[in-house]
Every structure is written in structure tokens, then in C-alpha cells.
Amino acid sequence: MSDQPGFGLDDLDRLAERAVDTVLSLVRRGLALGGGVLIIATFCCGGGFLLGLAALSGGVRTVWVVLGGFFLVVGVGSVIVAMWRLRSVGKGTRALVDEVRALIAGDRRTEKVVIETIETSEESKDEGVVALSRQFFELRDTIGDRHDQFRAVASALHAVTTFPALVALSTVVSFAFAGIGLLFLIALAL
């Protein structure tokens, strides 16, 4: 427990609940962003794939089915995985609070990292979800090799910290499909 004067069990509980509330707020924002990215990825990737099927023939079409199909799954699947991970965070809220409390109870450094993460996240509420998720990398690193002891916290932090990369991957693949789809559309119009 903290050696700060006046820092008791109630303060520890409030800090743990505040930390979990911060994560859950970020999760809600991430799910909203992920939903938008999913719609765009489905439209761009699916449309580009279908235009490729219509524009190509023979052996090239077979290659397109394999290659385009792979990237269609990557483009849409990565954002689905990111959203699925975020959704799983909200299911074990009580366990998450208990684990955060246990994590900070005996470790002054971890307590400081949790407080800094909360304060930084609350100060930057106007920033995007991707920028806010970066605040949680140091907190994830404080768990270190104690993943088995803090499963809910480790899972939540993994979901939050991998979200930006998965959404970025989906976005890049979607843009690529949009460009290729435009080329296929031009080929079909000629």
C-alpha cells in the first residue's frame, strides 16, 4: 500500500475504480471508431474484391481470388479482432477492478504509473482513441511477466494497446482496395 499520509483502502478502491472507468471509457470510444472503420473496410475491401472478380479472367482471376481474398480477410478481420478484444474488456469489470487494486496495493511504482495514466487520459479526452491508447503502454509494461496473476488487466491492456495497429492495418488495406477497385472499375468501363 502507498506510504502517502491518508491513503487508505477507500482511496485504493477509488483509484482502482477510476482506472477501470478510464479504460472502459476508452473501450467505448474505440468500439465506436472500430464500427466506422469496419463499415469502410467492408465497403472498400468487399467492393474492390468483387470488382476484381468482374474485371479479371483466367489464371489472373485465380491469383486474384487467393491474393485479394487474403487481403479482404486481413482488412476486415483485423478490425473485427480489435473490436472483439475491446468488447471482452467490459465483461469482467469487477475482476478488472479487483486486479487493478491488487496490482497497485503493494507497489508504489505501479501506483504512480496508474495515477499518471489516469491523469494523462483525463487531460487528453479530446484526443483520438489511438493517441489515448498509447498512454497505456507503460502500464502494460509494469505488469511484466505477471500476466498469469493479473489476467483481466493484462487482457484489457492488450486489447487497448493493440487496437491502433489493428485499425491502422485495416485502414491501409482498405485504401489499397479502394485504389485497386478504382483501376478495376476503369478497366470494366473500357
Side-chain angles (χ1 to χ4, degrees):
M1 208 169 344
S2 175
D3 50 35
Q4 296 175 357
F7 197 90
L9 291 177
D10 288 341
D11 295 323
L12 195 60
D13 288 338
R14 277 194 296 276
L15 179 60
E17 288 173 5
R18 216 170 128 203
V20 171
D21 287 344
T22 301
V23 170
L24 293 177
S25 174
L26 184 61
V27 164
R28 285 188 293 278
R29 290 179 65 188
L31 286 171
L33 174 64
V37 171
L38 180 60
I39 290 169
I40 292 168
T42 301
F43 177 76
C44 291
C45 297
F49 181 77
L50 293 175
L51 285 170
L53 286 179
L56 300 172
S57 61
V60 177
R61 184 178 191 178
T62 304
V63 171
W64 175 249
V65 168
V66 173
L67 193 60
F70 171 76
F71 282 105
L72 170 67
V73 170
V74 168
V76 175
S78 62
V79 73
I80 289 173
V81 167
M83 291 177 68
W84 176 72
R85 286 178 180 170
L86 289 179
R87 283 192 196 283
S88 69
V89 171
K91 293 181 180 177
T93 307
R94 188 68 238 161
L96 197 56
V97 170
D98 292 343
E99 284 187 16
V100 169
R101 185 180 185 284
L103 181 67
I104 60 179
D107 188 353
R108 177 101 168 118
R109 181 181 169 276
T110 303
E111 176 187 313
K112 182 180 177 197
V113 170
V114 169
I115 290 170
E116 288 173 359
T117 301
I118 292 169
E119 288 174 355
T120 305
S121 295
E122 288 176 350
E123 289 170 2
S124 16
K125 282 189 177 186
D126 294 335
E127 289 187 32
V129 173
V130 173
L132 284 174
S133 70
R134 290 187 195 126
Q135 312 294 332
F136 293 88
F137 279 94
E138 187 177 355
L139 185 55
R140 183 193 65 183
D141 293 341
T142 61
I143 292 177
D145 59 354
R146 299 180 291 173
H147 285 89
D148 291 338
Q149 185 181 357
F150 302 108
R151 290 181 194 263
V153 173
S155 177
L157 292 174
H158 180 71
V160 168
T161 57
T162 59
F163 179 79
L166 291 170
V167 168
L169 177 61
S170 179
T171 303
V172 167
V173 171
S174 296
F175 277 123
F177 263 106
I180 292 170
L182 183 61
L183 294 176
F184 288 145
L185 191 60
I186 292 169
L188 286 170
L190 298 177

